[in-house]
């Protein structure tokens, strides 16, 4: 487990990723932008219409067994053929955060099967989760996914499935931004 | 559960708390200072010799049962007779953070009895835990304790007990700063 990694996602006129879709799933929308710039490190290099930041750090719910399975199957970011990506910022309700660790875990995995459902899409989908609630950001999580264009429909199935789970009843704000390397 | 609360601890020549003891338990020391200023909010008002910041936010290990017991017994900060306090910044090893959630929980509570030991000192000791690893700070946690002068010896027992647990084998940096309202 490497040290916490601060990442900035800046939407604007520049950046390697071209925005192809921007949908407000629930809650307050984010302004639309043409491109997305993803930068690892403490200082964002780009000014933009908006900038979201989060920290990729230790796992909060995964058991040792799940960490082992994920580690064996999850690919790295930046694969040459993974030219499609999704940035999905999510905020959960105060009710979620008031739950104890065992209650959140039970909803997250035992009942919603978040990890189990995601595992079925490995190694096709690479993923990095960024935490941002403790940074004082508007969202609680920024999840970044990368996959090949041919995997687009299957990725849609995963996202749709998760949105139907008990865990998602606690999501009060969500935006779904799709981008391609272009 | 209120929203995450950012708190700055600034050591220097000013602040409500007078430093009475400053001991490096393990790892790199923090510079000594005469006083400590504790400020809730995003902008620290005081300049100092050092400033540590952390976020009090949701519980990471407590079960629903433990959250209920803690909630019923833990007092608020700022009691008139609680004129003694301790600030104990701690950093855990990379080995700790590489463990899965169930492994960390087993060490923290099932084997080290962190919450169970602490419960025996409620309501005498008020406590607020601040998380700071994801903020890019040098320490991972800042724990702030408040108690009456007559409880000093019993508080010493708690701190000593915890330092003898399996959990503490993962502590690579710790400073113990004692202060009084004066």
């Amino acid at each position: 487990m490497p040290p916490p990694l601060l990442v900035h996602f800046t939407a604007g006129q520049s950046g390697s990723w071209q925005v192809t879709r921007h949908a407000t799933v629930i809650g307050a929308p984010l302004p639309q932008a043409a491109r997305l710039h993803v930068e690892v490190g403490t200082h964002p290099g780009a000014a933009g219409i908006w900038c979201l930041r989060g920290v990729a750090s230790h796992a909060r719910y995964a058991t040792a067994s799940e960490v082992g399975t994920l580690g064996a199957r999850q690919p790295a970011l930046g694969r040459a053929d993974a030219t499609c990506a999704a940035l999905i910022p999510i905020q959960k309700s105060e009710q979620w955060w008031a739950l104890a660790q065992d209650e959140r875990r039970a909803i997250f995995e035992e009942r919603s099967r978040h990890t189990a459902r995601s595992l079925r899409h490995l190694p096709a989908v690479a993923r990095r989760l960024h935490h941002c609630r403790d940074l004082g950001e508007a969202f609680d999580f920024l999840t970044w996914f990368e996959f090949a264009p041919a995997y687009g429909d299957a990725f849609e199935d995963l996202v749709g499935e998760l949105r139907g789970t008990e865990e998602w009843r606690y999501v009060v704000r969500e935006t779904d931004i799709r981008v391609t390397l272009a």
Side-chain angles (χ1 to χ4, degrees), chain A:
Chain A
M1 175 65 55
L5 185 75
L6 181 64
V7 181
H8 289 82
F9 296 89
T10 308
Q13 294 306 313
S14 63
S16 311
W17 298 91
Q18 180 176 9
V19 177
T20 55
R21 206 165 94 204
H22 176 126
T24 302
V25 181
I26 186 171
L30 278 173
Q32 307 265 347
R35 303 193 72 89
L36 186 69
H37 179 70
V38 182
E39 188 168 345
V40 170
T42 49
H43 298 288
I49 296 172
W50 48 258
C51 180
L52 302 176
R53 64 199 179 110
V55 175
S57 97
H58 63 285
R60 311 294 160 102
Y61 297 108
T63 62
S65 157
E66 290 160 355
V67 165
T69 308
L70 285 164
R73 291 171 63 182
Q74 65 194 355
L77 295 181
R79 292 170 296 174
D81 66 336
T83 56
C84 291
L87 172 65
I88 307 188
I90 277 176
Q91 182 191 9
K92 284 180 172 170
S93 67
E94 287 309 306
Q95 191 195 350
W96 171 263
W97 294 111
L99 294 173
Q101 177 68 25
D102 57 341
E103 295 172 315
R104 281 183 276 108
R105 160 75 198 186
I107 295 167
F108 178 87
E109 194 58 30
E110 274 66 59
R111 304 214 289 274
S112 300
R113 313 295 294 155
H114 190 130
T115 301
R117 289 176 202 272
S118 302
L119 274 169
R120 292 205 301 268
H121 296 271
L122 299 185
V125 177
R127 167 187 169 278
R128 189 167 65 201
L129 173 65
H130 311 80
H131 299 266
C132 35
R133 185 166 186 262
D134 284 354
L135 304 187
E137 293 281 300
F139 291 96
D140 296 334
F141 306 100
L142 311 172
T143 315
W144 174 254
F145 304 90
E146 290 178 2
F147 47 90
Y151 204 77
D153 288 347
F155 179 72
E156 220 60 64
D157 292 344
L158 169 62
V159 172
E161 258 189 47
L162 287 171
R163 289 194 183 125
T165 63
E166 180 180 348
E167 184 194 354
W168 245 255
R169 293 185 211 157
Y170 296 89
V171 172
V172 293
R173 188 177 181 194
E174 177 176 9
T175 298
D176 186 337
I177 298 163
R178 302 303 173 85
V179 296
T180 57
L181 263 187

